[in-house]
Each structure stands twice: as C-alpha cells, then as structure tokens.
Amino acid sequence: MSALDRTPGPSAAATEGTATLQEVTQLVRQAGLMDSQPVYYTFKILTNLLLLAAGWTLFALLGDSWWQLAVAVFLAVCFGQTDLVGHDAGHRQIFRTRRAGDVIGYTHGNLLTGVSFGWWVGHHTKHHNYPNHLSLDPDILRRQVIFDAKDRTKRTGSAGRFIVRHQAWMFYVLILMEGLRLHASGYVAARKGALKRYVALDLSLLTLHLAAYLTVVFTVLSPGIAVAFIVVHQALFGFYMGLMFAPNHKGLPVRDGEEEQLDWLTRQVVTSRNLVPNRITDFFYGGLNYQIEHHLFPSMPRRNLRRAQPLVKDYLVRNGLPYAEERLLRSYLNVADYLGEVSQEVATLERDASVQGAR
C-alpha cells in the first residue's frame, strides 16, 4: 500500500460515522472528566521541580567528572517532563484562566528549559486545529522529512534529497537536533513577528535561561567535558521530545488543500493514534499516549485521560469512526514504514520523470 493509498477521501471519512462532538463531550462531562485537578497538578509540579533541582544539585556535587554524562541523561528526561507541564498549562488543563496558565507556562518553558511558551502556544494551537494537514499543520511543515511524495520538490539540495531518500531512519537521527530547534524557535518566531504577546518577557526569559545554563556548565566543568555534557543533554532532550510526539500522528492519513474539508471531530480522530496504555507510558508520555482523547478534549486534565479512554473508544467505534491504537514499539515501526513508503514513491516518480526526459 502506498502512502497516498492511506489517505481517505475527506467526504467519505466525514460521512461514515454518526458520532458527534456534542454527544461525546456530554459523555465525558457527565463522568466529571473535564473537572480541574488542583491536588494532582500541585503534586505533579512540586515533584517535577524536586527532580529537576535534584539533577542540578547532583551536577554541582559531582563537579568536573565524566560521570556528568549520566546526569545529562537524567536532566534530559527532567527537561522533557518540565515541558510537559508547560504543555498542560498552555491547554489550560491546570488553570482555566490565561494569566495563571501563562505563569506556569513561561516558568516551565522559557525559564527552566529554554523553550518559548509564547511560540509554542501559537504553533501548537494551529496543529490541534489542522492535524496532519500538509499545508496547514505546522508540525508537518517544520519537518525535514516529507509525508507525501508530491512534497519532494520542497526539499532541494543534496542534503534534502538524501534525507528524503533515507527518511525511514533519518527521521530518528534528525530528532536528536529537536532540542536545539526548540531552543531557537522563540527567537526565530520573534524575528518573523510571530510572537504576539509578552515578546520582551519571552525573549528575556529565554536569554536568561541560555546564559545561566552555559555559565553553570562551563564554570563547573572543564571545556571538553562541558561540550560533551551539552551534546548529550541537548541531543537526548530533543530525542525524548521527538519520541513523545512521533507516534501521535505520523503514518496516519494526510490531506491537503487551501481549506479544511474534514469536520472537527473527524479530523481529530482519523489523524491521531493512541499507545496501548500502562503506567510507564502514562508517565513518560505525559498523557500524549492518549492522543485521540487529548485532541478531542485539549483542556481535559492529564490525569483524566486514562479514565476517558474506554468511554471515548467505545463511543467512537459504536458510531462508525476508526480508533487507532498500537503498542509502543509497533507505533515507531509504523512511522518508519510510512516514511519509507513515501521515499519509495518519490524514487519511482523521479525514475519515471528521468525516463520521460530521456525520450
């Protein structure tokens, strides 16, 4: 099956089911699953801050040692977990008011991890509105790999063509640089005028984080170990972030066009994939393993997604909509298989074009 064969016709996908957003929303509201969880989030935030503080304390105590590379691994996970708290704040899962959510978001994003909360909110909101849309989903547009063979012309130069040709495995190499790209995104967005609120605060906190990070690392560590620490920490932070988001939509139906043709409920369901739940994935993926439920109810507190999952699954299946769910490893293999099929399709198109040109 080719990558294009996996793409359903919008009208067919939109009319197959009888599910409605109003009905499924009423279902979860009646179960109390949209209610805020202040006790849970207080515990979650404090626990995460303690782990982050423990990592930097261990960093200070170890001093100039190659054992700091182990600390870099631990801090990479802590950074990912910290940004997950910022993710929840941006969706107003923690506080229903924007101002309180902003305090949590800018603290956990800009100050503690160096990722622009202002950039992320705008970027992520567009993704939620148009998941897997080739022209409207910024998570599709910012990737170096392509998800449809017709987009091969957007990747020029020898490096771009190499990536497309080998993207089944290159995707997992490229996400090692995701951390650096996330750090730069706020500055790039500001230069393009894409930051709409608190621009000075956003950039000041980003710069403060960067200055403090580099000062601490190069003060405590000798230059060689410091560089190694930064490489390991930032590469694994990016890899962790990439792994968290890769299974959610990649390898599922894509669509294109100047306007959105799928209704809101359908587009969220047919483009999202859940991971088979367990407590380990719940922790490491921060609720993103319940991607279908999260996309249907972005403001649902993370803790409630596990309880919502069986209700939502039963409702969608009964009403004729698909419900994609895979085990963890299989989901990553699906992504690689899909990207590999797109590569093969590109190779076929280029070979046919070459034959036509020779004639």
Side-chain angles (χ1 to χ4, degrees):
M1 182 186 295
S2 73
L4 292 179
D5 290 334
R6 296 188 184 193
T7 309
S11 58
T15 58
E16 281 179 0
T18 59
T20 68
L21 181 61
Q22 182 179 2
E23 285 183 349
V24 71
T25 301
Q26 183 178 5
L27 189 68
V28 299
R29 285 193 182 280
Q30 288 176 343
L33 299 177
M34 297 302 295
D35 296 346
S36 59
Q37 295 284 332
V39 175
Y40 166 77
Y41 272 114
T42 298
F43 174 79
K44 186 67 182 177
I45 290 171
L46 290 176
T47 301
N48 187 71
L49 290 175
L50 285 173
L51 289 173
L52 189 62
W56 285 116
T57 300
L58 182 58
F59 175 89
L61 293 175
L62 275 178
D64 192 27
S65 166
W66 284 103
W67 282 106
Q68 293 284 16
L69 299 187
V71 179
V73 175
F74 178 76
L75 284 173
V77 176
C78 288
F79 269 44
Q81 288 289 312
T82 301
D83 278 328
L84 282 171
V85 174
H87 168 273
D88 292 2
H91 281 299
R92 301 193 189 180
Q93 295 178 21
I94 303 174
F95 295 105
R96 298 309 185 191
T97 61
R98 171 180 279 187
R99 178 168 295 182
D102 284 348
V103 171
I104 297 294
Y106 282 101
T107 300
H108 285 73
N110 296 58
L111 186 61
L112 294 179
T113 64
V115 178
S116 169
F117 181 71
W119 161 79
W120 177 85
V121 168
H123 177 96
H124 200 61
T125 297
K126 291 179 182 177
H127 160 70
H128 268 261
N129 286 334
Y130 307 105
N132 268 21
H133 193 290
L134 294 173
S135 298
L136 300 176
D137 182 357
D139 274 357
I140 291 282
L141 298 172
R142 68 190 291 264
R143 301 297 172 189
Q144 292 101 326
V145 299
I146 62 172
F147 300 90
D148 192 295
K150 70 181 181 60
D151 284 343
R152 67 190 184 281
T153 55
K154 298 179 181 179
R155 302 295 181 263
T156 58
S158 57
R161 289 194 296 270
F162 178 86
I163 290 172
V164 170
R165 192 160 55 245
H166 303 285
Q167 63 180 19
W169 59 269
M170 274 298 296
F171 175 80
Y172 293 102
V173 175
L174 292 169
I175 61 176
L176 289 167
M177 296 182 287
E178 183 67 11
L180 297 179
R181 297 182 71 204
L182 289 172
H183 292 315
S185 293
Y187 294 105
V188 173
R191 181 173 57 82
K192 294 180 177 180
L195 289 182
K196 303 302 182 183
R197 301 168 61 242
Y198 310 132
V199 177
L201 174 66
D202 201 311
L203 296 180
S204 296
L205 290 176
L206 284 180
T207 304
L208 177 60
H209 170 86
L210 178 63
Y213 179 83
L214 294 176
T215 298
V216 167
V217 170
F218 281 99
T219 298
V220 173
L221 306 179
S222 57
I225 299 178
V227 171
F229 175 90
I230 292 172
V231 169
V232 172
H233 179 219
Q234 296 301 327
L236 291 183
F237 167 55
F239 194 67
Y240 180 30
M241 296 295 284
L243 289 183
M244 274 198 288
F245 288 94
N248 301 341
H249 306 282
K250 308 298 183 287
L252 289 170
V254 298
R255 61 206 183 283
D256 205 357
E258 295 182 359
E259 297 181 358
E260 178 59 73
Q261 297 182 25
L262 294 180
D263 67 89
W264 198 88
L265 174 67
T266 302
R267 81 181 77 149
Q268 306 304 325
V269 174
V270 302
T271 64
S272 300
R273 177 195 292 114
N274 277 22
L275 300 178
V276 175
N278 60 63
R279 295 297 181 183
I280 295 176
T281 53
D282 283 3
F283 173 78
F284 281 102
Y285 288 81
L288 297 180
N289 47 312
Y290 302 103
Q291 191 66 196
I292 295 172
E293 289 72 28
H294 172 59
H295 260 255
L296 288 176
F297 311 106
S299 62
M300 179 181 288
R302 184 195 310 185
R303 185 186 188 188
N304 292 343
L305 292 169
R306 184 179 182 90
R307 293 171 54 202
Q309 190 266 341
L311 295 176
V312 173
K313 180 178 181 179
D314 176 69
Y315 175 82
L316 293 176
V317 172
R318 280 192 293 105
N319 287 277
L321 279 173
Y323 191 93
E325 188 176 33
E326 287 287 359
R327 295 193 178 278
L328 181 61
L329 180 58
R330 182 68 256 175
S331 70
Y332 292 120
L333 293 175
N334 284 348
V335 173
D337 289 345
Y338 181 85
L339 293 175
E341 289 177 4
V342 174
S343 294
Q344 292 174 5
E345 206 168 322
V346 169
T348 299
L349 291 173
E350 290 181 343
R351 186 167 54 249
D352 290 348
S354 178
V355 170
Q356 290 289 338
R359 292 176 181 174

